Amino acid sequence: MLQMTNSIMDRGLRLLGVTTFLIALGACGHSFEPPNRGERIARAEGVFSPTLFDSVTWESEAVRALEGNEVYAAKCRRCHGTLGAGATDYGSAQRLDVPSLVQAEWAYADDFESVRRRIFVGHEEGMPSGGLGLLTPREIDGVAYYVFAQLRADVLQQD
């Protein structure tokens, strides 16, 4: 019986200690505020380097496209649409001006490196910074490849 009383008393003291700690932490006025979009973009721009992709290797172009498709479906499709044309209901609801990735005159149409950079850095108009913990360099390379090899394949064949 004495052991049970001591065990209950130990748990009560630990609970009191944790509660006291949490109250003290709250009294310090400490709170977490994530950086705003502009700060995240600037930080991503500051750490971006094309050399981040130097160690990325692929078993084949088919694997690269397949993994890129998986990333696109999970992270990009909601805004850019299944076929990359933009103008999705989600983008409209968020008041985002999402570009079509498949228009011949797309700003990054001829520049694979710029696409990887844009995915890594993002931009203030709504695209998240993929390179700050959202995506790995391999995932960024794969999804950029998918955009060119699959989504833009018809556009590139017309050139």
Side-chain angles (χ1 to χ4, degrees):
M1 180 73 170
L2 184 58
Q3 279 183 323
M4 186 190 303
T5 304
N6 284 342
S7 176
I8 292 170
M9 193 174 215
D10 286 343
R11 278 190 257 157
L13 286 173
R14 276 186 275 176
L15 180 60
L16 179 63
V18 169
T19 303
T20 303
F21 173 76
L22 292 174
I23 290 170
L25 185 63
C28 293
H30 178 75
S31 65
F32 172 75
E33 292 195 27
N36 69 35
R37 182 174 298 278
E39 290 169 354
R40 284 186 59 83
I41 301 300
R43 191 166 67 223
E45 189 69 56
V47 299
F48 177 82
S49 170
T51 61
L52 293 167
F53 305 99
D54 287 352
S55 64
V56 175
T57 60
W58 297 97
E59 298 82 358
S60 68
E61 297 303 301
V63 170
R64 191 179 187 189
L66 180 64
E67 289 188 28
N69 178 34
E70 290 172 1
V71 173
Y72 184 87
K75 304 289 185 182
C76 311
R77 182 178 61 199
R78 182 170 58 177
C79 288
H80 290 285
T82 302
L83 301 176
T88 63
D89 290 341
Y90 176 81
S92 295
Q94 299 299 313
R95 296 186 178 128
L96 299 173
D97 184 20
V98 180
S100 169
L101 306 177
V102 296
Q103 287 183 338
E105 62 277 353
W106 179 45
Y108 303 105
D110 298 322
D111 194 349
F112 183 76
E113 291 303 317
S114 289
V115 172
R116 290 197 308 194
R117 178 185 209 105
R118 177 58 62 206
I119 295 167
F120 186 96
V121 174
H123 59 72
E124 289 195 41
E125 289 78 34
M127 186 163 167
S129 299
L132 296 179
L134 182 63
L135 300 171
T136 66
R138 180 180 176 91
E139 290 169 325
I140 291 170
D141 182 77
V143 75
Y145 180 79
Y146 174 77
V147 167
F148 278 92
Q150 299 297 311
L151 295 181
R152 293 188 57 78
D154 291 340
V155 176
L156 295 175
Q157 288 175 3
Q158 293 172 7
D159 291 343

